[in-house]
Every structure is written in C-alpha cells, then in structure tokens.
Amino acid sequence: DTPVLRGTSFSAPAGKTTALVGPSGAGKSTIFNVLTRLTDPQDGAARVGDIAVSDIALSELRDLFSVVSQDALLFDETLRENILLGREDVSEDQLRQVLDAAHVSDFLPQLPNGLDTAVGPRGSALSGGQRQRVAIARALLRDTPVLLLDEATSALDAQSEAVVQAALERLSIGRTTLVIAHRLSTIRNSDQIIVMEAGKVVETGSHDELIAQNKTYASLHRLQSEA
C-alpha cells in the first residue's frame, strides 16, 4: 500500500543519456516498469514525446525500447539463435557488424562451434561478461530509439566491465538512453543525472554540477571513491 514513486517528475532529452542513481528502493527500476507498462501508475503519466504510454498500443510501445539488464536471459539454444531471436531478415554482414560492435567477436574463436555453439541453460556455457555482450548484440540488432540499461555491468569483474562498458557506450550513440547504476564511475559522462530518494527526485544535473552542489550525489561519490 506504500507508494513507490511520489511526485517523481523529470524529462529525459531525446538522443541523450540520463542516469538514475540513488539507494535501493528509491524507485529507479519502477520508472523502467512504468515506461514499458509492466506496471501502470495510479496517478500521473509517463510520456514518450507528447504521448502517454497508456495511449500507445502495447506492442508498438515495447518496439520503442531495448533493455540490457544485470541478468542477461539466454535460451538453451545456439549463440546465433540467441542473438537473432527468430529474425530471418538479418544479413551476414549486418550480423558481423553487430558482433564486432558488441565485442562478441572477441570471444567467438574460443567457442568450439563459433556462432553455432550451444550456450547451455540460461547461457551457463558463457561467462557473465560474455552473456552481457550477447544482450548488447541483441539490442544493437533491434536498433530501437530508446535504450534502458539496468545495472548492466554491476555483476562483472573490472576487466569484463571495461569491455562491456565500451560496447554500451557505442550502443548509446544517437539513442535516448536511461541508465540505472550504482557504480557512479560508469555514468560520470551522462548528459543528465537524476538523483532519487524514497520515490522522489532530489537532485538533477551533470556530474560536475552535482559535485559542486555538495549534497546527496557528492556524498555518494565520496563514499565510492574512498571504497
């Protein structure tokens, strides 16, 4: 019965990267759920452009989004099938470009059958970093205007995180991107950072602006820097 979002209001500029930061339970993931209509708000509205998401046909709405989350869900099929997801209109050249951009090509030579290697239940034959790169390849292939990144690198070691972060930055170019991140180092260059607490927006600005304000974001940044 407790509201998760309470008067939350902000705009994410088209073609730019907006990061959502704050403690667990602040409402960051709920914003993603509202945007994609996994849940509907009791009051207020989420809009894409000037159109409320509730006024867009569900299939059309979800065609606007690609999602890369902390846990990349893979099927017990081949790597190729996990990336194409049934699409038959993808040329080999287009597929190769996607594999290169997502850094999937980096580990293909290590697999016994390349793209036709079975990835195992939930992708168990691949490492966490490799699974994330497959998820990024899917998102590149979908080529949607809006990208949602939910803790996409939080479960990775430092080396894997660097590779995946580079792929995500390439994926974000020219797209309206919303990022949920606990590691502030991964969102330092975002065009806009939204700081949330208890379902409310408490600060908005760039990294440098928020550091200068010396409030919640600056405190979080100091704690992570010391750690």
Short mmCIF file of all heavy atoms in Angstrom, two decimals, residues 67-102:
data_model
loop_
_atom_site.label_atom_id
_atom_site.label_comp_id
_atom_site.label_asym_id
_atom_site.label_seq_id
_atom_site.Cartn_x
_atom_site.Cartn_y
_atom_site.Cartn_z
N VAL A 67 16.31 -3.32 -23.86
CA VAL A 67 16.69 -3.39 -22.46
C VAL A 67 17.93 -4.27 -22.30
O VAL A 67 17.98 -5.38 -22.83
CB VAL A 67 15.55 -3.96 -21.59
CG1 VAL A 67 15.96 -4.01 -20.13
CG2 VAL A 67 14.28 -3.14 -21.76
N VAL A 68 18.91 -3.77 -21.57
CA VAL A 68 20.06 -4.58 -21.15
C VAL A 68 20.10 -4.49 -19.63
O VAL A 68 20.30 -3.41 -19.07
CB VAL A 68 21.38 -4.08 -21.75
CG1 VAL A 68 22.54 -4.98 -21.30
CG2 VAL A 68 21.32 -4.05 -23.28
N SER A 69 19.88 -5.63 -18.97
CA SER A 69 19.80 -5.64 -17.51
C SER A 69 20.99 -6.39 -16.91
O SER A 69 21.85 -6.90 -17.62
CB SER A 69 18.49 -6.27 -17.05
OG SER A 69 18.41 -7.61 -17.49
N GLN A 70 21.01 -6.45 -15.59
CA GLN A 70 22.10 -7.10 -14.88
C GLN A 70 22.18 -8.58 -15.23
O GLN A 70 23.26 -9.14 -15.37
CB GLN A 70 21.90 -6.93 -13.38
CG GLN A 70 22.97 -7.57 -12.52
CD GLN A 70 22.76 -7.29 -11.05
OE1 GLN A 70 22.01 -6.39 -10.68
NE2 GLN A 70 23.42 -8.06 -10.20
N ASP A 71 21.03 -9.23 -15.40
CA ASP A 71 20.98 -10.65 -15.71
C ASP A 71 20.51 -10.84 -17.14
O ASP A 71 19.32 -10.67 -17.43
CB ASP A 71 20.05 -11.39 -14.75
CG ASP A 71 20.52 -11.28 -13.31
OD1 ASP A 71 21.71 -11.51 -13.08
OD2 ASP A 71 19.69 -10.97 -12.44
N ALA A 72 21.43 -11.17 -18.03
CA ALA A 72 21.08 -11.38 -19.44
C ALA A 72 20.43 -12.75 -19.58
O ALA A 72 21.06 -13.78 -19.34
CB ALA A 72 22.32 -11.29 -20.32
N LEU A 73 19.16 -12.77 -19.95
CA LEU A 73 18.44 -14.04 -20.09
C LEU A 73 18.76 -14.66 -21.44
O LEU A 73 18.42 -14.11 -22.49
CB LEU A 73 16.93 -13.80 -19.98
CG LEU A 73 16.04 -15.03 -20.20
CD1 LEU A 73 16.33 -16.10 -19.15
CD2 LEU A 73 14.57 -14.64 -20.17
N LEU A 74 19.41 -15.81 -21.43
CA LEU A 74 19.71 -16.53 -22.65
C LEU A 74 18.96 -17.85 -22.65
O LEU A 74 18.69 -18.45 -21.61
CB LEU A 74 21.21 -16.80 -22.78
CG LEU A 74 22.14 -15.58 -22.81
CD1 LEU A 74 23.55 -16.02 -23.18
CD2 LEU A 74 21.65 -14.52 -23.78
N PHE A 75 18.62 -18.31 -23.85
CA PHE A 75 17.90 -19.57 -24.01
C PHE A 75 18.89 -20.70 -24.29
O PHE A 75 20.00 -20.47 -24.76
CB PHE A 75 16.90 -19.45 -25.16
CG PHE A 75 15.86 -18.38 -24.94
CD1 PHE A 75 16.01 -17.13 -25.53
CD2 PHE A 75 14.76 -18.61 -24.13
CE1 PHE A 75 15.07 -16.14 -25.33
CE2 PHE A 75 13.81 -17.63 -23.93
CZ PHE A 75 13.97 -16.39 -24.52
N ASP A 76 18.47 -21.92 -24.03
CA ASP A 76 19.32 -23.09 -24.25
C ASP A 76 19.33 -23.44 -25.74
O ASP A 76 18.85 -24.49 -26.15
CB ASP A 76 18.80 -24.26 -23.41
CG ASP A 76 19.78 -25.44 -23.39
OD1 ASP A 76 20.90 -25.28 -23.92
OD2 ASP A 76 19.42 -26.50 -22.86
N GLU A 77 19.85 -22.51 -26.52
CA GLU A 77 19.96 -22.64 -27.97
C GLU A 77 21.37 -22.22 -28.38
O GLU A 77 22.22 -21.99 -27.51
CB GLU A 77 18.92 -21.76 -28.67
CG GLU A 77 17.48 -22.01 -28.25
CD GLU A 77 16.94 -23.35 -28.74
OE1 GLU A 77 17.60 -23.98 -29.58
OE2 GLU A 77 15.86 -23.75 -28.28
N THR A 78 21.61 -22.08 -29.67
CA THR A 78 22.94 -21.63 -30.11
C THR A 78 23.09 -20.13 -29.87
O THR A 78 22.11 -19.40 -29.66
CB THR A 78 23.15 -21.91 -31.59
OG1 THR A 78 22.26 -21.09 -32.37
CG2 THR A 78 22.91 -23.37 -31.93
N LEU A 79 24.32 -19.69 -29.93
CA LEU A 79 24.61 -18.27 -29.78
C LEU A 79 23.92 -17.47 -30.89
O LEU A 79 23.34 -16.41 -30.64
CB LEU A 79 26.13 -18.05 -29.83
CG LEU A 79 26.63 -16.63 -29.60
CD1 LEU A 79 26.18 -16.09 -28.26
CD2 LEU A 79 28.16 -16.60 -29.69
N ARG A 80 23.96 -17.99 -32.10
CA ARG A 80 23.31 -17.32 -33.23
C ARG A 80 21.82 -17.14 -32.97
O ARG A 80 21.27 -16.05 -33.15
CB ARG A 80 23.53 -18.13 -34.52
CG ARG A 80 22.93 -17.46 -35.77
CD ARG A 80 22.98 -18.43 -36.95
NE ARG A 80 24.32 -18.85 -37.26
CZ ARG A 80 25.15 -18.18 -38.06
NH1 ARG A 80 24.74 -17.07 -38.65
NH2 ARG A 80 26.37 -18.64 -38.30
N GLU A 81 21.16 -18.21 -32.52
CA GLU A 81 19.72 -18.13 -32.27
C GLU A 81 19.39 -17.19 -31.13
O GLU A 81 18.36 -16.50 -31.14
CB GLU A 81 19.18 -19.54 -31.97
CG GLU A 81 19.15 -20.44 -33.21
CD GLU A 81 18.89 -21.89 -32.86
OE1 GLU A 81 19.41 -22.38 -31.84
OE2 GLU A 81 18.16 -22.55 -33.63
N ASN A 82 20.28 -17.09 -30.15
CA ASN A 82 20.06 -16.19 -29.03
C ASN A 82 20.17 -14.72 -29.43
O ASN A 82 19.57 -13.86 -28.79
CB ASN A 82 21.04 -16.49 -27.89
CG ASN A 82 20.47 -17.45 -26.88
OD1 ASN A 82 19.64 -17.10 -26.07
ND2 ASN A 82 20.91 -18.71 -26.95
N ILE A 83 20.93 -14.45 -30.46
CA ILE A 83 21.08 -13.07 -30.93
C ILE A 83 19.97 -12.71 -31.92
O ILE A 83 19.36 -11.64 -31.83
CB ILE A 83 22.47 -12.86 -31.56
CG1 ILE A 83 23.55 -12.98 -30.47
CG2 ILE A 83 22.56 -11.49 -32.25
CD1 ILE A 83 24.97 -12.96 -31.00
N LEU A 84 19.67 -13.61 -32.84
CA LEU A 84 18.66 -13.32 -33.86
C LEU A 84 17.24 -13.38 -33.31
O LEU A 84 16.35 -12.66 -33.80
CB LEU A 84 18.80 -14.30 -35.03
CG LEU A 84 20.09 -14.19 -35.85
CD1 LEU A 84 20.11 -15.27 -36.93
CD2 LEU A 84 20.22 -12.81 -36.48
N LEU A 85 17.00 -14.26 -32.33
CA LEU A 85 15.66 -14.41 -31.74
C LEU A 85 14.57 -14.56 -32.80
O LEU A 85 13.53 -13.89 -32.75
CB LEU A 85 15.36 -13.21 -30.82
CG LEU A 85 16.23 -13.10 -29.57
CD1 LEU A 85 15.86 -11.85 -28.78
CD2 LEU A 85 16.10 -14.34 -28.70
N GLY A 86 14.84 -15.42 -33.77
CA GLY A 86 13.82 -15.74 -34.76
C GLY A 86 13.80 -14.85 -35.98
O GLY A 86 13.07 -15.12 -36.94
N ARG A 87 14.59 -13.78 -36.00
CA ARG A 87 14.59 -12.90 -37.17
C ARG A 87 15.27 -13.57 -38.35
O ARG A 87 16.31 -14.22 -38.20
CB ARG A 87 15.30 -11.58 -36.85
CG ARG A 87 14.50 -10.65 -35.97
CD ARG A 87 15.17 -9.33 -35.76
NE ARG A 87 15.48 -8.64 -37.01
CZ ARG A 87 16.04 -7.44 -37.05
NH1 ARG A 87 16.36 -6.80 -35.94
NH2 ARG A 87 16.30 -6.86 -38.22
N GLU A 88 14.68 -13.41 -39.52
CA GLU A 88 15.24 -14.01 -40.73
C GLU A 88 15.66 -12.96 -41.75
O GLU A 88 16.04 -13.30 -42.87
CB GLU A 88 14.21 -14.96 -41.36
CG GLU A 88 13.82 -16.12 -40.44
CD GLU A 88 12.76 -17.02 -41.04
OE1 GLU A 88 12.20 -16.64 -42.10
OE2 GLU A 88 12.50 -18.10 -40.47
N ASP A 89 15.58 -11.68 -41.36
CA ASP A 89 15.88 -10.59 -42.29
C ASP A 89 17.26 -9.97 -42.04
O ASP A 89 17.53 -8.86 -42.50
CB ASP A 89 14.81 -9.50 -42.18
CG ASP A 89 14.73 -8.90 -40.78
OD1 ASP A 89 15.23 -9.55 -39.82
OD2 ASP A 89 14.18 -7.79 -40.63
N VAL A 90 18.11 -10.68 -41.33
CA VAL A 90 19.42 -10.15 -40.97
C VAL A 90 20.49 -10.77 -41.87
O VAL A 90 20.65 -12.00 -41.89
CB VAL A 90 19.75 -10.43 -39.49
CG1 VAL A 90 21.12 -9.86 -39.14
CG2 VAL A 90 18.67 -9.84 -38.58
N SER A 91 21.22 -9.95 -42.59
CA SER A 91 22.27 -10.45 -43.47
C SER A 91 23.50 -10.81 -42.64
O SER A 91 23.66 -10.35 -41.51
CB SER A 91 22.65 -9.40 -44.51
OG SER A 91 23.30 -8.30 -43.90
N GLU A 92 24.40 -11.60 -43.22
CA GLU A 92 25.62 -11.98 -42.53
C GLU A 92 26.49 -10.75 -42.26
O GLU A 92 27.14 -10.66 -41.20
CB GLU A 92 26.40 -13.02 -43.35
CG GLU A 92 25.78 -14.40 -43.33
CD GLU A 92 25.72 -15.00 -41.93
OE1 GLU A 92 26.72 -14.91 -41.19
OE2 GLU A 92 24.66 -15.55 -41.56
N ASP A 93 26.50 -9.80 -43.19
CA ASP A 93 27.28 -8.57 -42.98
C ASP A 93 26.72 -7.78 -41.80
O ASP A 93 27.49 -7.27 -40.97
CB ASP A 93 27.25 -7.70 -44.24
CG ASP A 93 28.20 -8.20 -45.32
OD1 ASP A 93 29.07 -9.04 -44.98
OD2 ASP A 93 28.08 -7.76 -46.47
N GLN A 94 25.40 -7.65 -41.74
CA GLN A 94 24.77 -6.92 -40.65
C GLN A 94 25.05 -7.60 -39.31
O GLN A 94 25.36 -6.95 -38.32
CB GLN A 94 23.26 -6.82 -40.88
CG GLN A 94 22.52 -5.93 -39.87
CD GLN A 94 21.03 -5.88 -40.17
OE1 GLN A 94 20.54 -6.50 -41.11
NE2 GLN A 94 20.30 -5.14 -39.35
N LEU A 95 24.96 -8.93 -39.31
CA LEU A 95 25.22 -9.69 -38.09
C LEU A 95 26.67 -9.51 -37.66
O LEU A 95 26.95 -9.31 -36.46
CB LEU A 95 24.90 -11.16 -38.31
CG LEU A 95 25.12 -12.10 -37.12
CD1 LEU A 95 24.29 -11.65 -35.93
CD2 LEU A 95 24.77 -13.54 -37.50
N ARG A 96 27.59 -9.55 -38.60
CA ARG A 96 29.01 -9.40 -38.27
C ARG A 96 29.29 -8.01 -37.67
O ARG A 96 30.06 -7.88 -36.71
CB ARG A 96 29.88 -9.62 -39.51
CG ARG A 96 31.38 -9.59 -39.23
CD ARG A 96 32.19 -10.15 -40.38
NE ARG A 96 31.90 -9.46 -41.63
CZ ARG A 96 31.22 -10.01 -42.64
NH1 ARG A 96 30.76 -11.23 -42.54
NH2 ARG A 96 31.00 -9.33 -43.75
N GLN A 97 28.65 -6.97 -38.21
CA GLN A 97 28.83 -5.62 -37.67
C GLN A 97 28.35 -5.55 -36.22
O GLN A 97 28.99 -4.92 -35.37
CB GLN A 97 28.08 -4.61 -38.53
CG GLN A 97 28.67 -4.39 -39.91
CD GLN A 97 27.81 -3.49 -40.78
OE1 GLN A 97 26.85 -2.89 -40.30
NE2 GLN A 97 28.14 -3.40 -42.05
N VAL A 98 27.21 -6.18 -35.95
CA VAL A 98 26.66 -6.19 -34.60
C VAL A 98 27.59 -6.95 -33.65
O VAL A 98 27.86 -6.50 -32.52
CB VAL A 98 25.26 -6.83 -34.60
CG1 VAL A 98 24.82 -7.21 -33.20
CG2 VAL A 98 24.26 -5.88 -35.24
N LEU A 99 28.10 -8.08 -34.09
CA LEU A 99 29.01 -8.87 -33.26
C LEU A 99 30.28 -8.11 -32.94
O LEU A 99 30.80 -8.17 -31.82
CB LEU A 99 29.36 -10.18 -33.98
CG LEU A 99 28.21 -11.16 -34.24
CD1 LEU A 99 28.70 -12.35 -35.05
CD2 LEU A 99 27.59 -11.62 -32.93
N ASP A 100 30.79 -7.36 -33.92
CA ASP A 100 32.00 -6.56 -33.69
C ASP A 100 31.72 -5.42 -32.71
O ASP A 100 32.50 -5.18 -31.78
CB ASP A 100 32.53 -5.98 -35.01
CG ASP A 100 33.11 -7.04 -35.93
OD1 ASP A 100 33.38 -8.16 -35.45
OD2 ASP A 100 33.28 -6.75 -37.14
N ALA A 101 30.61 -4.72 -32.92
CA ALA A 101 30.28 -3.57 -32.08
C ALA A 101 30.03 -3.97 -30.63
O ALA A 101 30.35 -3.22 -29.70
CB ALA A 101 29.05 -2.84 -32.64
N ALA A 102 29.45 -5.16 -30.43
CA ALA A 102 29.15 -5.63 -29.07
C ALA A 102 30.31 -6.41 -28.46
O ALA A 102 30.20 -6.92 -27.34
CB ALA A 102 27.90 -6.51 -29.09
#
